[in-house]
Amino acid sequence: MKQVLEFEKPVIALREKIAELKTFTKESDLDLTEEIVKLETRLEKLENDIYTNLKPWDRVQMARHAERPTTLDYVEHLFTDFLEFHGDRYYGDDAAIVAGIAKYKGRPVTIVGHQRGKTTKENIRRNFGMPHPEGFRKAARHMQQAAKFGRPIICFIDTKGAFPGRAAEERGQSEAIARNLMEMSGFEVPIICIVIGEGGSGGALALGVGDRLLMLENSTFSVISPEGAASILWKDGGKAKEAAEKLKITAPDLKELGVIDSIIPEIRGGAHRDLQAQAELVDQVITEQLLELEKLDKQVLLEQRWEKYSKIGSYAE
Amino acid sequence: MLKDFFSKKKHASKPNEEAKQDIPEGLMLKCSGCGKIYYREEMRKQLYVCPNCGHHHQLPSDERINSLFDEGSFTEYDTDLNTGNPLEFPSYLQKLEKDQLKTGLKEAVVTGEGTIGGYRTAFAVMDSRFRMASMGSVVGEKIARAIERARQADIPFIIFTASGGARMQEGALSLMQMAKTSAAVQRFRDAGGLMISVMTNPTYGGVSASFASLGDYNFAEPGALIGFAGRRVVEETIREKLPEDFQTAEFLLEHGQLDAVINRHDMKKYLTTILDIHQAGGNVS
């Protein structure tokens, strides 16, 4: 069953109407072609209106869409020879994060990403893409290896956040995230981080420190979920829509705030409409950014990375 | 005394709403550990550690500095950083002003340097009376700068943390302070710098998941609550009741996440011993 988002309903309704008329034309003597063409023009305009004026809350829904492409979807389309590796070597293997090596247009790379499921069963196995400390430590282990062997690192960010559970606390969720932030700032290889869905808080940032932080047009990146913010600010989780607007969590807002480097456009209607086409758009950007970063001397790379993060913030002297 | 109450002092130790339960206003104080009542002045002399049960109450940042630094040696860094309102959050700046008046502080962290037991040290102390010491741009910037200064001067960096977590009104800019401060720690570490983190009650969220956990040594005060997610959130997530001591310093020590739990009265001597063993920064006395 296809998931229909609230703001898309007029488009879906019109599309169904057109399909209906087409069937009708085919099955009866009545020629409705003229009517159909009219409606199709209207659909074109309607789609344009809706998808070019997405509100923050619309994007939140888009970012959470059940069929939205995940890390492994992009891996399949963008890389060759992908080998997934498991475990943090200390405690276990966290299925909420995938990591491995592959080739990107001939060059070796390390890939790390949050992984949520598309079905309930898979989501349970992957803990809805919400990592425990062992997930972040698995990521760290592979990134350390990337630095050792001089492979660029590509990170895909797609999580509601680090898992807030008892076991996670007992095993040092804070330390695991903190260590990733610190170490990622110092790896002497290019790091490209792409928010592909939801980028929630410290759990997202733990795969998000690098030379480039990019966002898909309809992804979100925030310090707290809109629901969480609403419940803290107004003691009303139902005001999530309002919080989504206030918090500035969309790609255009974050570009303006200087938090991200650039926005990767999405195909009309959202990434889930056509994975192949969307992967091509992501591909272009990775190639472009990687070529730029590969030219830089290690020291320059690290210096620029520090400059980038040390500048982020809003204050006056 | 009434006049003192109304006059605004620099570093005045007037507690905010939450701290009021912890350190009640006025002449007398009730220990939130054992309920015993003390003269405020007596408790202040005890660094707000209950003489009866040992409960560690919040210690205002200026008294923390006085309790650790050799007399008159502390000078403050970056006293002129002002918080902006990047998301144009309604009433954010007014809330800051209110806390400024209440605490005499400009923001939730005081940074600077001085000597501890004769050893020159860069320092930061977060003060939870100010916006629960949540991490906004100014907090992140001041801490990152203090670490950078320690790196440039080749002296140790000691931080006393406390925080409710992110400064929500600054959105993702608050989140990115985790990356900024952690990157500063990495540079300091690469340069061979010594960093000591002492977590005080409470240390949560983005602060716990960045510099607070990144010391060469991570300590905590007795009974301090430390964690990534708050107790209530965890209980709601796993739908079970958590043990009484969950996320206390002692709980963390038992789970291998701290080097030691240090009593406030022993703190200066303890830190001096570490500085001495490291011989970092040299003896300037």
Side-chain angles (χ1 to χ4, degrees):
Chain A
M1 204 177 69
K2 289 271 170 200
Q3 187 190 352
V4 177
L5 303 177
E6 195 58 39
F7 64 90
E8 292 184 303
K9 278 185 179 159
V11 174
I12 308 285
L14 194 54
R15 225 184 262 144
E16 275 166 6
K17 173 100 184 169
I18 291 169
E20 214 175 278
L21 290 185
K22 278 184 178 162
T23 329
F24 191 75
T25 306
K26 219 185 274 171
E27 286 168 3
S28 70
D29 305 334
L30 219 59
D31 186 11
L32 297 169
T33 313
E34 207 178 312
E35 188 70 13
I36 290 170
V37 170
K38 239 193 246 167
L39 285 181
E40 276 176 339
T41 319
R42 220 169 92 196
L43 177 68
E44 171 76 21
K45 193 179 168 304
L46 187 68
E47 279 201 325
N48 212 31
D49 282 353
I50 287 180
Y51 293 119
T52 52
N53 290 301
L54 289 179
K55 302 278 176 295
W57 186 244
D58 301 335
R59 294 192 200 268
V60 169
Q61 292 176 69
M62 200 82 109
R64 291 174 178 172
H65 198 291
E67 290 132 46
R68 191 166 173 85
T70 66
T71 296
L72 286 177
D73 290 325
Y74 287 110
V75 168
E76 196 189 316
H77 279 76
L78 297 172
F79 305 94
T80 51
D81 297 332
F82 175 64
L83 301 173
E84 186 186 347
F85 302 129
H86 298 276
D88 69 341
R89 296 291 185 275
Y90 299 110
Y91 180 80
D93 183 41
D94 188 347
I97 284 185
V98 292
I101 57 173
K103 277 196 176 159
Y104 181 68
K105 303 192 170 154
R107 66 167 83 56
V109 291
T110 285
I111 302 162
V112 175
H114 301 98
Q115 185 64 41
R116 56 179 179 79
K118 288 186 178 173
T119 62
T120 307
K121 198 176 157 202
E122 204 196 345
N123 256 324
I124 289 168
R125 184 169 86 80
R126 298 198 178 274
N127 200 31
F128 295 83
M130 300 172 83
H132 281 73
E134 49 273 22
F136 297 122
R137 288 177 183 139
K138 169 166 72 176
R141 188 168 74 81
H142 285 288
M143 291 191 282
Q144 286 155 6
Q145 206 179 74
K148 176 182 172 188
F149 294 111
R151 290 192 289 264
I153 300 167
I154 317 284
C155 293
F156 293 97
I157 297 168
D158 188 14
T159 184
K160 288 182 187 306
F163 188 65
R166 175 179 177 167
E169 294 289 323
E170 286 174 347
R171 295 199 286 273
Q173 190 72 291
S174 287
E175 194 272 348
I177 294 170
R179 183 163 295 274
N180 277 20
L181 303 181
M182 179 178 76
E183 292 195 357
M184 288 180 85
S185 76
F187 291 136
E188 293 175 328
V189 291
I191 305 175
I192 296 175
C193 310
I194 308 170
V195 187
I196 57 172
E198 277 186 280
S201 190
L205 191 62
L207 301 186
V209 179
D211 303 295
R212 297 286 185 271
L213 180 56
L214 314 168
M215 280 176 81
L216 286 192
E217 193 182 336
N218 297 316
S219 62
T220 60
F221 186 69
S222 68
V223 69
I224 184 169
S225 70
E227 288 82 359
S231 93
I232 293 175
L233 288 170
W234 305 299
K235 313 260 177 279
D236 181 2
K239 286 190 177 164
K241 195 172 168 179
E242 205 181 324
E245 276 164 28
K246 287 251 155 49
L247 278 175
K248 305 213 170 148
I249 61 178
T250 65
D253 279 341
L254 291 165
K255 175 81 179 70
E256 182 145 342
L257 281 173
V259 169
I260 63 164
D261 298 288
S262 60
I263 302 169
I264 302 175
E266 279 189 36
I267 53 171
R268 197 163 73 183
H272 59 283
R273 284 280 175 81
D274 187 345
L275 172 60
Q276 179 68 41
Q278 188 58 55
E280 276 165 29
L281 291 173
V282 175
D283 190 31
Q284 276 173 25
V285 177
I286 294 179
T287 302
E288 197 181 286
Q289 302 292 343
L290 213 47
L291 287 175
E292 238 174 67
L293 294 170
E294 280 172 339
K295 274 188 246 154
L296 302 176
D297 171 79
K298 280 178 191 176
Q299 276 320 306
V300 176
L301 186 75
L302 286 192
E303 202 53 43
Q304 285 187 2
R305 197 180 299 159
W306 163 250
E307 285 293 317
K308 168 178 153 64
Y309 285 92
S310 66
K311 273 203 306 238
I312 300 178
S314 159
Y315 56 86
E317 268 179 272
Chain B
M1 214 183 72
L2 197 65
K3 215 176 91 204
D4 284 348
F5 185 82
F6 286 108
S7 69
K8 194 186 132 204
K9 278 184 287 188
K10 206 185 165 203
H11 297 314
S13 55
K14 235 194 285 169
N16 67 6
E17 291 304 312
E18 289 208 19
K20 264 181 192 164
Q21 297 156 4
D22 215 20
I23 309 171
E25 197 80 39
L27 193 62
M28 307 303 285
L29 283 182
K30 188 176 170 189
C31 171
S32 43
C34 65
K36 224 176 148 183
I37 292 171
Y38 295 95
Y39 280 111
R40 184 183 183 79
E41 188 51 27
E42 187 188 345
M43 198 64 129
R44 202 182 65 79
K45 277 185 194 148
Q46 294 296 325
L47 302 174
Y48 298 97
V49 177
C50 175
N52 182 46
C53 71
H55 183 85
H56 282 52
H57 300 88
Q58 285 174 338
L59 182 65
S61 47
D62 56 335
E63 302 199 39
R64 173 78 67 187
I65 290 165
N66 290 337
S67 77
L68 295 170
F69 281 86
D70 304 334
E71 213 180 325
S73 74
F74 188 79
T75 52
E76 199 176 332
Y77 297 149
D78 302 310
T79 51
D80 51 0
L81 286 191
N82 288 305
T83 306
N85 190 3
L87 308 192
E88 287 157 12
F89 236 89
S91 75
Y92 177 43
L93 293 178
Q94 287 88 312
K95 278 179 179 158
L96 292 177
E97 248 168 63
K98 215 173 122 198
D99 279 6
Q100 283 166 349
L101 283 172
K102 226 163 20 185
T103 60
L105 299 166
K106 230 174 156 182
E107 251 291 354
V109 67
V110 177
T111 58
E113 67 168 80
T115 60
I116 296 176
Y119 295 101
R120 187 180 164 208
T121 302
F123 186 77
V125 53
M126 303 178 80
D127 196 318
S128 58
R129 295 171 304 157
F130 192 102
R131 300 271 91 215
M132 268 316 284
S134 54
M135 180 153 63
S137 298
V138 168
V139 171
E141 180 68 16
K142 282 180 83 171
I143 290 170
R145 285 189 190 185
I147 298 170
E148 276 288 286
R149 283 206 175 85
R151 183 177 68 84
Q152 281 151 5
D154 193 20
I155 55 177
F157 174 68
I158 298 178
I159 183 159
F160 279 69
T161 68
S163 184
R167 181 81 54 92
M168 237 187 318
Q169 292 89 344
E170 292 189 30
L173 290 177
S174 166
L175 182 64
M176 298 311 275
Q177 302 310 308
M178 294 170 69
K180 180 197 281 186
T181 52
S182 300
V185 176
Q186 177 66 40
R187 278 161 72 86
F188 186 47
R189 190 174 271 241
D190 279 345
L194 165 67
M195 171 166 161
I196 300 172
S197 167
V198 183
M199 294 175 241
T200 72
N201 189 43
T203 295
Y204 275 92
V207 166
S208 164
S210 60
F211 53 85
S213 298
L214 295 174
D216 294 293
Y217 305 104
N218 294 332
F219 302 121
E221 288 194 326
L225 291 172
I226 300 153
F228 178 65
R231 183 187 185 98
R232 195 176 51 83
V233 175
V234 176
E235 278 186 338
E236 276 168 15
T237 305
I238 61 170
R239 295 196 186 97
E240 65 177 84
K241 200 118 179 66
L242 292 161
E244 194 64 24
D245 68 343
F246 186 67
Q247 294 183 328
T248 59
E250 294 74 16
F251 180 91
L252 264 74
L253 184 70
E254 195 182 310
H255 285 84
Q257 291 170 39
L258 291 174
D259 288 287
V261 176
I262 315 293
N263 192 294
R264 197 175 286 163
H265 291 302
D266 303 330
M267 195 65 80
K268 180 169 181 170
K269 189 162 172 275
Y270 197 94
L271 294 177
T272 305
T273 305
I274 293 176
L275 295 173
D276 184 52
I277 288 170
H278 277 265
Q279 286 288 312
N283 198 325
V284 297
S285 61

